[in-house]
Amino acid sequence: AMEYHGFGHQISQKVMVGCKSRFRPFEYDGISYSPHVSTINDGIITPPMDSNVRVTDRERPIIDCIDYIKYAGGLEELVHSLSSITFLNEKKLVEYLALYGKPTLYKKVGFFLSHFQKEMQLSPDFISHCKDHAGEGVVKLTDQSKQYDSEWMIYMPQNILSYLEQGVEEYV
């Protein structure tokens, strides 16, 4: 869905298919398809110009990829993809976060999107909403996470935003 909406940084040969029940992974035309049983069904659309496609809207894959970084192609791909987004609908983001209802997801979404708040045109109220629902636990983004962000109570790899090559301030 990230690639479909133009957010993908690299072309992937793996597609995670949101579904209600598992299916056997398969490969077709050089692309691997694997199931990901989704707990919510909201945000699935059929684009007007592509009636044979069902894909999640612009906001849902952002939430899903932050929740499952490995499905986004890893941390570097996620950060690059997020850096290309110029607008997100806060109302939909809040709706999806509420449907998932996971405090750690609020924490991770708030952490990532706060770094792109201006570019994505997100209000301070959205970031505050994420903080208010983030819970008290500490989150570790990856196994290599050693640097601590006390604002979001997240352990992350050092210089996480140094993955960005173009003029975005580096997170230290």
Side-chain angles (χ1 to χ4, degrees), residues 150-166:
S150 58
E151 179 181 4
W152 289 99
M153 296 172 54
I154 285 182
Y155 278 99
M156 63 196 153
Q158 286 199 300
N159 300 319
I160 190 172
L161 296 183
S162 67
Y163 290 132
L164 298 173
E165 300 161 359
Q166 308 155 336

Side-chain angles (χ1 to χ4, degrees), residues 64-137:
D64 292 341
C65 286
I66 290 173
D67 197 14
Y68 297 98
I69 294 172
K70 67 180 180 181
Y71 296 155
L75 192 56
E76 183 176 359
E77 177 64 14
L78 175 62
V79 172
H80 275 288
S81 296
L82 292 174
S83 72
S84 70
I85 300 170
T86 58
F87 176 78
L88 288 174
N89 182 324
E90 288 181 27
K91 204 171 171 182
K92 286 184 180 182
L93 293 171
V94 168
E95 176 186 331
Y96 299 143
L97 284 167
L99 287 170
Y100 282 119
K102 299 188 319 190
T104 58
L105 184 54
Y106 280 97
K107 187 177 300 244
K108 292 193 301 186
V109 167
F111 168 76
F112 280 109
L113 299 190
S114 67
H115 290 288
F116 301 100
Q117 182 178 352
K118 182 179 176 186
E119 294 83 355
M120 293 180 182
Q121 303 176 48
L122 297 171
S123 72
D125 289 342
F126 173 75
I127 303 303
S128 293
H129 178 78
C130 289
K131 283 182 182 175
D132 291 345
H133 292 81
E136 293 300 317

Side-chain angles (χ1 to χ4, degrees), residues 7-52:
F7 303 149
H9 179 254
Q10 297 176 354
I11 296 173
S12 175
Q13 302 303 327
K14 296 179 182 179
V15 175
M16 296 302 300
V17 179
C19 52
K20 292 180 183 178
S21 60
R22 289 207 167 279
F23 60 83
R24 183 175 296 216
F26 65 94
E27 189 172 309
Y28 177 76
D29 205 18
I31 299 175
S32 300
Y33 296 85
S34 299
H36 177 72
V37 178
S38 182
T39 57
I40 68 169
N41 295 317
D42 296 56
I44 300 169
I45 60 170
T46 301
M49 300 301 285
D50 205 348
S51 62
N52 293 324

Side-chain angles (χ1 to χ4, degrees), residues 130-144:
C130 289
K131 283 182 182 175
D132 291 345
H133 292 81
E136 293 300 317
V138 175
V139 172
K140 197 171 183 180
L141 291 179
T142 69
D143 292 339
Q144 295 79 33

